[in-house]
Amino acid sequence: MDRDRKQNEILDAALKVFAAYGFRKTTVEDVAEKVGMTKSNLYFYIRNKQDLYQKTVSRALQRWRDSVAQAVSETDDVVEKFSVMAKQSFAYLADDEDLRRVCMKDPGIFSLSPEEDRFSEINLGAMQLIKSILVQGIEEGRFHPVDVDHVTELFFSIYIMFLIKTYVKSQGISSVRMYDEGLKIILRGLCVDRQVP
Amino acid sequence: MDRDRKQNEILDAALKVFAAYGFRKTTVEDVAEKVGMTKSNLYFYIRNKQDLYQKTVSRALQRWRDSVAQAVSETDDVVEKFSVMAKQSFAYLADDEDLRRVCMKDPGIFSLSPEEDRFSEINLGAMQLIKSILVQGIEEGRFHPVDVDHVTELFFSIYIMFLIKTYVKSQGISSVRMYDEGLKIILRGLCVDRQVP
DNA sequence: AAATTGACTAAATAATTCATTTGTTCTAAT
DNA sequence: ATTAGAACAAATGAATTATTTAGTCAATTT
């Protein structure tokens, strides 16, 4: 089946177009043109514009999540895992220009309230990663026995907040410094054993 | 001069009206009626609608800040100060219904980016309080020697984020729990000496 | 059969116009 | 010094028309 390859081709093209114009201002004809087919034929592959957008962004977000999971899996130490997760999650967007542009034009992609999170499925996966690291750390006696669910949500919220500050509004360098300082304090407050910095 | 009393009367009335209808939907006639004077006479006291709103909200925010400063001043211990500041700052809005309503109708009052903060003068004051406590804690050797400016901004951002989560979107009970857990972790990560919880 | 197209329609969006409200000023009276 | 009422410009809202665009379909090509 060649169907899947074409699907991906379409999603790749769509990401570029959405990155350039934003959801509102791109027409499905724009996307069709980018792929090199007619609008009506594009509809052979997509359900509708909204769905195309959802799938496009979801795919990009999944790449992001996978990249973090990959980086985390390369170490065994929980504390290291936590640190890598935090850093990789935050740094990723700097390299994915298209996704970054899409996010800037549609700030709602990063939502501070779970109810209105249009990509909750993917974000729940990200939170699952945080939670699993917390649980592992607590089991190993490396982390304090915190309220895992609430702390997971807390960390995720702080993380999202920084994404917004850094990539949606663009307070680049200052917020990066804040993120680093915050990570240090949180790690220190989380860890049981103390090594003098 | 009776002028100031009248000014305050107006600002009090305006807060109630703005709380009820929001900026957009209140007319200056509504406010005038609430104070018990005609629209045109109200203009003897105010510059324009926008300015009235600004002054009204500013005054309410100042009461907030003063209430926190007052609570903090009642203890000498830095760690206690930090804790009181965090708790009082967060809890205050629960009691000030009018201000809370205004904030819910105008989420822009809480801004995560300093550039678009319409009440930066007041918020800078709040940050000054955080900073002074941090500095005192570090000087006394109770806090780790963190990057004061960035950590101040960090804490303030997290705080604002929680205000938004709790009072603008209304994720009440869950976000309160998150706030408490977060405060514990941050205090532990901030403090030099360790007392087992 | 699966993939593609151009023609078609219903719905959304944008542009225009006109009517009403409302922010703001001014003059005159108390 | 304070107030009220009239007056006006600017903003807002409602109603109308014109244009674009999302989405469908029958016909054609591969």
Side-chain angles (χ1 to χ4, degrees), chain A residues 119-193:
Chain A
F119 300 91
S120 53
E121 287 194 23
I122 289 157
N123 285 332
L124 284 175
M127 288 177 73
Q128 193 51 47
L129 180 61
I130 300 179
K131 186 173 172 180
S132 73
I133 294 178
L134 280 180
V135 168
Q136 187 190 341
I138 294 170
E139 275 173 0
E140 294 182 6
R142 304 285 306 276
F143 291 164
H144 281 274
V146 295
D147 176 335
V148 177
D149 286 320
H150 284 100
V151 170
T152 296
E153 211 186 322
L154 166 72
F155 288 166
F156 188 71
S157 297
I158 293 177
Y159 161 63
I160 293 292
M161 180 192 78
F162 270 104
L163 290 181
I164 294 171
K165 280 179 88 77
T166 310
Y167 298 109
V168 177
K169 345 248 178 193
S170 313
Q171 305 163 235
I173 208 66
S174 172
S175 63
V176 170
R177 189 69 207 273
M178 280 167 62
Y179 191 80
D180 286 342
E181 285 289 311
L183 183 54
K184 272 195 283 183
I185 294 175
I186 283 173
L187 258 180
R188 208 186 290 134
L190 202 55
C191 287
V192 167
D193 48 5

Side-chain angles (χ1 to χ4, degrees), chain B residues 120-138:
Chain B
S120 53
E121 287 194 25
I122 289 156
N123 285 332
L124 285 175
M127 288 177 72
Q128 193 51 46
L129 179 60
I130 299 177
K131 187 172 173 180
S132 73
I133 294 179
L134 281 179
V135 168
Q136 187 189 343
I138 293 170

Side-chain angles (χ1 to χ4, degrees), chain A residues 112 147 165 188-189 192 194, chain B residues 112 165 188-189 192 194:
Chain A
L112 279 174
D147 176 335
K165 280 179 88 77
R188 208 186 290 134
V192 167
R194 161 161 314 190
Chain B
L112 280 174
K165 281 180 87 78
R188 207 187 290 135
V192 167
R194 162 160 313 189

Side-chain angles (χ1 to χ4, degrees), chain B residues 31 39 54 91 145-146 160 186:
Chain B
V31 178
K39 183 175 62 160
Q54 180 79 12
V146 295
I160 293 293
I186 283 174

Side-chain angles (χ1 to χ4, degrees), chain B residues 81-109:
Chain B
K81 271 191 180 181
F82 190 92
S83 181
V84 166
M85 172 186 67
K87 282 173 179 159
Q88 177 71 10
S89 298
F90 187 54
Y92 179 90
L93 252 202
D95 294 325
D96 193 334
E97 283 194 41
D98 285 334
L99 178 56
R100 195 175 67 235
R101 288 220 176 82
V102 169
C103 290
M104 290 192 308
K105 303 206 164 162
D106 180 8
I109 289 175

